[in-house]
Amino acid sequence: MKKIIHLTLFLAIISAIAGGALAAVNNLTAPIIEENALAEVKSTLEEFFPNGSFTEVDIKGEVEYITNIYEAEGEGVIYKVSVQGFSDTITYLVAIDNDRKFSGYKVTEISDTQGYGSRVGDPEFYEPFIGQSIDTQVDTLSGATVSSTAVVNGLKEVVKYHNENY
């Protein structure tokens, strides 16, 4: 009985020390990781509006797909959207300029079926609507209807949100 108590206390002390060490390392590295993530996002946003000064704004109301909104002062708005594709989540950015036209689209994360769902990141999908009014109908891709329908639904939410708030 004495040995069980001794081993239990020993294990508890070792666990507390390890947990404390992990918490300390997390406190040291979290700001660096967050800063690097923001720098990565900013470099991606600059692809749409190279001269933009970016501000992340709060989302107003209820949205299903929009996860972040970035305003590029004097140039437009960039929406980060996350939708459920055929087999996994698709995350993309879509930019709308001050003339109410789609000015950019970029898939940032996708692990959908290669050659099918992944086609929503290919120029054949997004080139037809870039430079067009946000009121332009965006078509789905044949052979990738689940993923492209999800992306189009996200674009519809972006257009609706943009019309209501900008």
Side-chain angles (χ1 to χ4, degrees):
M1 181 71 161
K2 186 177 179 182
K3 187 174 184 177
I4 292 174
I5 292 172
H6 178 17
L7 290 174
T8 303
L9 287 174
F10 179 75
L11 184 59
I13 290 169
I14 295 297
S15 297
I17 291 170
L22 285 173
V25 169
N26 184 52
N27 284 339
L28 290 173
T29 59
I32 296 167
I33 292 169
E34 186 175 323
E35 185 178 307
N36 288 342
L38 288 173
E40 185 179 325
V41 167
K42 186 176 180 193
S43 70
T44 302
L45 298 177
E46 288 173 341
E47 291 177 24
F48 300 117
F49 301 118
N51 301 320
S53 174
F54 301 99
T55 306
E56 186 170 357
V57 296
D58 292 331
I59 298 172
K60 302 171 189 167
E62 294 288 320
V63 292
E64 186 176 355
Y65 306 118
I66 299 170
T67 59
N68 298 84
I69 301 173
Y70 306 94
E71 286 183 1
E73 187 177 326
E75 296 194 47
V77 181
I78 301 170
Y79 296 89
K80 183 175 182 181
V81 181
S82 186
V83 296
Q84 181 61 42
F86 179 71
S87 63
D88 207 353
T89 303
I90 301 169
T91 303
Y92 60 93
L93 297 170
V94 62
I96 298 174
D97 64 22
N98 287 338
D99 294 329
R100 302 179 55 74
K101 293 181 179 179
F102 289 111
S103 60
Y105 170 88
K106 180 179 182 178
V107 173
T108 58
E109 185 180 321
I110 187 169
S111 55
D112 235 342
T113 308
Q114 197 64 9
Y116 292 99
S118 66
R119 290 175 45 210
V120 297
D122 294 345
E124 72 172 306
F125 175 70
Y126 64 83
E127 280 182 347
F129 66 87
I130 298 299
Q132 301 297 316
S133 165
I134 61 173
D135 298 321
T136 301
Q137 181 178 341
V138 179
D139 295 325
T140 59
L141 291 168
S142 68
T145 53
V146 173
S147 297
S148 62
T149 299
V151 171
V152 168
N153 288 339
L155 289 171
K156 287 177 182 176
E157 182 176 82
V158 165
V159 169
K160 181 179 182 228
Y161 185 92
H162 196 79
N163 285 335
E164 293 173 356
N165 296 286
Y166 290 97

